[in-house]
């Protein structure tokens, strides 16, 4: 049973398109996160939701909009994709601020 | 501004020897530190953690040491095994700090058989 799953695993799209990445966790955790791993391999937090409430919102273009329909899901929608959005996006979950469990990542390539 | 720094992008070690991965942080408010391990095409997985009230935490072959005065922590793996070859991320957080964890850039460990 996959604890934290993301779809799709790979996403190739053209500049200017709108795309979504979905994340689901079956661990019963109350907190979920989105991270971006850029070309320099840094894992940078983008958003965090605790019990469906946004608690972390880093300096991220407002083209990125997270949505948490329930505690087990945190989706990331990206409008007007740009070349610089190409990266690996990781979803994670935790119970409170405890150890985070990561999904396998979604490799986004913007052409 | 990198608050968590892993200055060695890679490390190569012979099987059976000790691997030492280093990490420095700048924010003295951090009080909880973690190491994650990442294989290619997978997400990071939690390895070991330490709170600032301790200076050492051990779990099998893995030991994390914390030197608060130097704002430095290290991960020791002994003996190193080829399956340990992966990228290791150091991370720091503030308990009660709003769940925000800051990650280093990672160190790629190669364990040669």
């Amino acid at each position: 049973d996959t604890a934290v799953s993301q779809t799709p695993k790979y996403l190739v799209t053209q500049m200017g398109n709108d795309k979504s990445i979905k994340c689901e966790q079956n661990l019963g955790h109350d907190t979920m996160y989105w991270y971006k791993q850029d070309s320099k391999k840094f894992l940078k937090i983008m958003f965090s939701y605790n019990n469906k409430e946004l608690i972390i919102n880093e300096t991220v273009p407002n083209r990125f909009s997270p949505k948490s329909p329930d505690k087990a899901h945190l989706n990331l929608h990206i409008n007007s994709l740009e070349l610089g959005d190409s990266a690996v996006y990781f979803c994670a979950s935790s119970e409170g601020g405890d150890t985070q469990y990561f999904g396998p990542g979604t490799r986004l390539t913007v052409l | 501004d990198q608050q968590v720094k892993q200055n060695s992008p890679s490390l190569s070690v012979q099987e059976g020897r000790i691997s030492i991965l280093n990490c420095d942080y700048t924010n003295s408010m951090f009080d909880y530190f973690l190491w994650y391990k990442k294989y290619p095409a997978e997400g990071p997985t939690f390895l070991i953690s330490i709170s600032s009230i301790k200076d050492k935490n051990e779990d099998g072959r893995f030991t994390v040491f914390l030197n608060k005065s130097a704002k430095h922590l290290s991960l020791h793996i002994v003996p190193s095994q080829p399956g340990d070859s992966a990228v290791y991320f150091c991370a720091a957080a503030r308990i009660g700090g709003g769940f925000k964890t800051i990650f280093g850039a990672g160190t790629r460990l190669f364990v040669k058989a």
Side-chain angles (χ1 to χ4, degrees):
Chain A
D1 253 356
T2 306
V4 182
S5 58
Q6 295 178 228
T7 52
K9 194 165 175 63
Y10 300 96
L11 184 53
V12 181
T13 188
Q14 299 284 338
M15 268 175 47
N17 284 349
D18 303 338
K19 290 293 177 186
S20 291
I21 307 171
K22 295 186 175 182
C23 178
E24 177 180 1
Q25 55 97 2
N26 62 8
L27 297 167
H29 289 163
D30 60 4
T31 306
M32 296 185 73
Y33 311 77
W34 276 110
Y35 285 86
K36 178 181 180 181
Q37 186 179 33
D38 59 22
S39 56
K40 293 184 180 176
K41 305 303 180 187
F42 281 100
L43 264 172
K44 292 184 179 174
I45 190 161
M46 301 172 69
F47 302 103
S48 176
Y49 272 74
N50 176 256
N51 285 313
K52 294 169 51 181
E53 185 180 333
L54 182 66
I55 54 170
I56 295 175
N57 186 352
E58 289 297 284
T59 309
V60 175
N62 56 16
R63 298 181 295 103
F64 289 78
S65 52
K67 282 189 173 51
S68 182
D70 54 57
K71 281 191 343 179
H73 295 85
L74 181 61
N75 303 323
L76 183 64
H77 188 76
I78 316 169
N79 287 329
S80 303
L81 278 155
E82 299 178 358
L83 293 175
D85 298 332
S86 295
V88 181
Y89 293 84
F90 289 99
C91 175
S93 73
S94 68
E95 185 58 28
D98 209 339
T99 306
Q100 293 175 32
Y101 291 78
F102 284 81
T106 295
R107 183 174 292 277
L108 171 65
T109 303
V110 182
L111 304 174
Chain B
D1 177 30
Q2 291 173 243
Q3 297 186 63
V4 178
K5 300 177 188 179
Q6 294 177 257
N7 291 320
S8 299
S10 66
L11 174 68
S12 185
V13 169
Q14 199 67 38
E15 181 180 9
R17 298 288 184 98
I18 185 171
S19 297
I20 300 176
L21 295 94
N22 293 304
C23 177
D24 297 294
Y25 61 96
T26 57
N27 189 339
S28 57
M29 298 295 287
F30 289 138
D31 52 13
Y32 190 61
F33 304 90
L34 311 95
W35 285 94
Y36 285 81
K37 175 179 179 179
K38 184 183 178 307
Y39 291 117
E42 294 182 13
T45 55
F46 170 74
L47 189 58
I48 193 169
S49 64
I50 188 168
S51 83
S52 59
I53 61 171
K54 291 185 168 186
D55 54 17
K56 177 182 173 181
N57 189 24
E58 197 170 347
D59 183 2
R61 297 185 297 113
F62 302 91
T63 303
V64 55
F65 294 92
L66 175 63
N67 181 333
K68 281 184 295 185
S69 60
K71 296 193 184 69
H72 177 84
L73 62 154
S74 60
L75 174 69
H76 292 211
I77 307 173
V78 55
S80 301
Q81 298 173 355
D84 296 329
S85 297
V87 176
Y88 289 80
F89 289 97
C90 171
R94 189 159 60 92
I95 296 172
F99 311 112
K100 188 172 172 180
T101 302
I102 307 297
F103 284 80
T107 296
R108 184 177 295 277
L109 175 66
F110 299 93
V111 180
K112 296 176 287 189

